[in-house]
């Protein structure tokens, strides 16, 4: 059993498709162990994406992630990290396989509907970034 962090990004929240995205997770064997809807401030978004600080798209990414509320979730299940990445599809929605969340619901590489941890180690850190132990059930 693994846990991973998922974020429904501002574009998908604005489109009112939180439920459609959550259905992809629940229909594919992932369970929501924690969830909250929050508006990220620039410091929090910047710290969360600190790994991308030197990349040319960092500022756009922070601008986008603070442009509206997000839904942050802990997903739990067998191979949760990999399974979530498969359900999400490629970072660039144009390259994402049909039937994935990004292919079906995202517009472009900036506004790509969801975030998902890319390794078990990052998942642990990202979950601890947003949730305390008692909030995960
Ligand atoms: P992810 O793990 O699939 O979300 O992708 P990354 O960790 O590589 O990048 C984090 C986020 O930064 C992505 O989800 C995109 O929103 C954004 N991003 C990544 N690469 C690019 C890029 O080349 N251009 C732009 N504008 N945004 C990017």
């Amino acid at each position: 059993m693994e846990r991973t962090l998922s974020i429904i990004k501002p574009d998908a929240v604005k489109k009112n498709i939180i439920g459609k995205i959550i259905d992809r997770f629940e229909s594919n064997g992932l369970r929501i162990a924690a969830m909250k809807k929050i508006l990220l401030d620039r410091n929090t978004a910047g710290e969360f994406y600190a790994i991308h600080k030197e990349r040319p798209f960092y500022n756009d990414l922070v601008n986008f992630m603070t442009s509206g509320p997000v839904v942050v979730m802990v997903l739990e299940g067998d191979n949760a990290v990999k399974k979530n990445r498969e359900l999400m599809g490629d970072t660039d929605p144009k390259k994402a396989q049909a039937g994935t969340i990004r292919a079906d619901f995202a517009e472009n590489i900036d506004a790509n509907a969801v975030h998902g941890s890319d390794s078990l180690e990052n998942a642990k850190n990202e979950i601890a970034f947003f949730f305390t132990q008692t909030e995960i059930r």
Side-chain angles (χ1 to χ4, degrees):
M1 198 62 94
E2 281 180 10
R3 284 174 177 166
T4 190
L5 187 89
S6 169
I7 304 178
I8 301 178
K9 295 187 178 183
D11 57 321
V13 172
K14 280 192 186 108
K15 284 184 193 161
N16 213 21
I17 53 169
I18 294 170
K20 284 185 181 169
I21 291 176
I22 287 176
D23 182 51
R24 299 289 175 102
F25 301 138
E26 292 186 333
S27 298
N28 287 280
L30 295 174
R31 194 181 74 79
I32 295 167
M35 176 161 71
K36 59 186 166 190
K37 187 183 192 186
I38 53 174
L39 180 63
L40 296 174
D41 60 39
R42 293 193 67 82
N43 279 344
T44 307
E47 198 186 327
F48 183 75
Y49 280 115
I51 194 168
H52 294 306
K53 209 163 196 154
E54 305 306 325
R55 308 282 283 277
F57 58 83
Y58 178 73
N59 212 38
D60 287 343
L61 180 58
V62 172
N63 285 342
F64 171 64
M65 290 301 286
T66 56
S67 66
V70 298
V71 176
V72 191
M73 288 170 287
V74 177
L75 303 177
E76 188 178 80
D78 290 332
N79 295 311
V81 173
K82 187 162 171 269
K83 189 177 278 183
N84 181 38
R85 295 291 300 188
E86 286 169 1
L87 293 172
M88 288 164 60
D90 194 282
T91 307
D92 183 352
K94 290 184 193 74
K95 294 185 192 151
Q97 231 183 319
T100 60
I101 293 168
R102 283 166 166 170
D104 291 349
F105 300 126
E107 306 307 321
N108 54 60
I109 200 163
D110 293 289
N112 62 3
V114 280
H115 165 85
S117 310
D118 62 2
S119 70
L120 196 53
E121 195 193 342
N122 284 341
K124 289 205 169 81
N125 293 332
E126 291 180 0
I127 289 169
F129 186 85
F130 282 111
F131 294 98
T132 63
Q133 274 306 317
T134 55
E135 291 174 320
I136 305 169
R137 285 291 176 257

